[in-house]
Amino acid sequence: MATAAAPRVYKNFINGEWVDSRSGNAYENRNPANADELIGMFVSSNAEDVDLAVDAAKLAYQKWRLVPAPKRAEILFRAAELLVQHKEQFSKDMTSEMGKVLAETRGDVQEAIDMTYYMAGEGRRLFGQTTPSELPDKFAMSVRQSIGTCGLITPWNFPMAIPSWKIMPALISGNTVVLKPAEDTPLSSYNLVQILTDAGVPEGVVNLVSGNGPNAGAPLAEHLDVPVVSFTGSTAVGRLIAEACAPEFKHCSLEMGGKNIIIVMEDANLDLAVDGAIWGGFGTTGQRCTAASRIAVHKSVYHDFISRFVARVKKLRVGDGLDPGIDMGPCINEQQLKTVMDYVQIGQTEGAKLLTGGHCLTEGPYAKGWFHEPTVFGDCNPKMRVAQEEIFGPVVSLIPIGRLEEAVEVANGVPYGLSASIYTRNVNRAFQAIRDLFTGIVYVNAPTIGAETHLPFGGTKKTGNGHREAAIAAIDFYTEWKTLYIDYSDKLQRAQIDNAE
Ligand code: UN1
């Protein structure tokens, strides 16, 4: 009898080599659209593996920090070009392990390309300030300095983009990294690390340990030789990371939950608003921190909006993201599907009106995946759990609103503050909303998703801890300022003291 070929085992990348885990264990990475498809085995790392990776990164840091930033940049430029060459294959790999449709995984790889080019460009900037001293014959300036080894813990919903948001600014600033990618989507990180290596990143500068949070992520966040930790994921895990970082006063950047809103005013272009709500609500199966999970619609256009929106939602084709013509893929795993189903139940119990969807899909082409219908709740009270809590799935809650002030109060009345959007043709209202929405990102006449890599990304309240990713903000996180005073007067000059006396 013929036996199937043994699945490929993907190893850790430590000190420039692909190596087994000390645990001797590996876990399965399966396609969320088809559980029969085994993508590969990935090693289950433990604290010993993390120690080895951190040791390698610590050693490599001594040389890497001295490589001139424009030379570090040349490697990143090469990596960006290699990513361009491999974009199609990496996108297909990503759809297979994560489920989102090919157009979106192409976007994810493109976001990594954009970030890599952008941060490579920073290699010839990394600007500090040069400013007059208050004293004569004295020179004052500030420069950025690298910090050391960065522990990067990344989520499954943007399996290449988000690792690149962390790796590229860390590297261009002169740090070394240990990446612990999400358990569900390690192949995309494997691909990214392979590209960086092919582009010429020296051994030990980029290390990867696959595995789960408690066994691999926690020892990385706690490690005494890791002064910088960046995490994207749930608010609950973010709190654990912050606690792990606190005793050592580590740089700690957290990007966590969202409960983002689209506000549709009575003067909005309704067709445009419906387009935005479909893309914001159901893109990536709603599994984005930036997903539009609430839509507040002015009462005078509420029914018109509902009928157009629900008609469009009903037409969304759910299936395997690699099949052309599919609009929405599966949930990432069984647990996430169960969370979605629980929230559908909660919404109904709370009295929200189920306008379409509401079921998981289990028959025919859906039998082997974690599929759920795109689901819309109408007439939601803003205090309902489905309108307050992050679901991270294809569920949108519609909330009727009156004046803009009320819409802003609803928008701000959640524990999170990542992204918000308003559809209006009234410039005064648009600017009022820009001023009053307390979120890290505001869109006008565009949905809540679609952040670009050269602008700060992050949110207020329980979405973050005051840091931003992407843009120069990321460089600020991965560097320390060093302020320089050079006195060429040849005498003691005392700042703040009256020197004329
Ligand atoms: C995320 O949801 O975790 O703006 C990141 C966007 C994407 C990034 C999303 N560029 O939706």
Side-chain angles (χ1 to χ4, degrees), residues 463-491:
T463 294
N465 64 340
H467 293 289
R468 290 292 182 270
E469 298 205 271
I472 302 299
I475 302 282
D476 289 337
F477 176 72
Y478 290 101
T479 55
E480 289 275 8
W481 283 114
K482 184 180 280 175
T483 303
L484 310 176
Y485 298 105
I486 301 120
D487 192 318
Y488 56 99
S489 69
D490 226 14
K491 59 182 188 233

Side-chain angles (χ1 to χ4, degrees), residues 246-267:
E248 297 299 316
F249 310 107
K250 295 183 182 200
H251 283 219
C252 170
S253 165
L254 306 171
E255 291 293 347
M256 302 172 288
K259 192 68 190 175
N260 315 291
I261 197 165
I262 291 178
I263 298 168
V264 182
M265 296 308 293
E266 71 271 38
D267 64 336

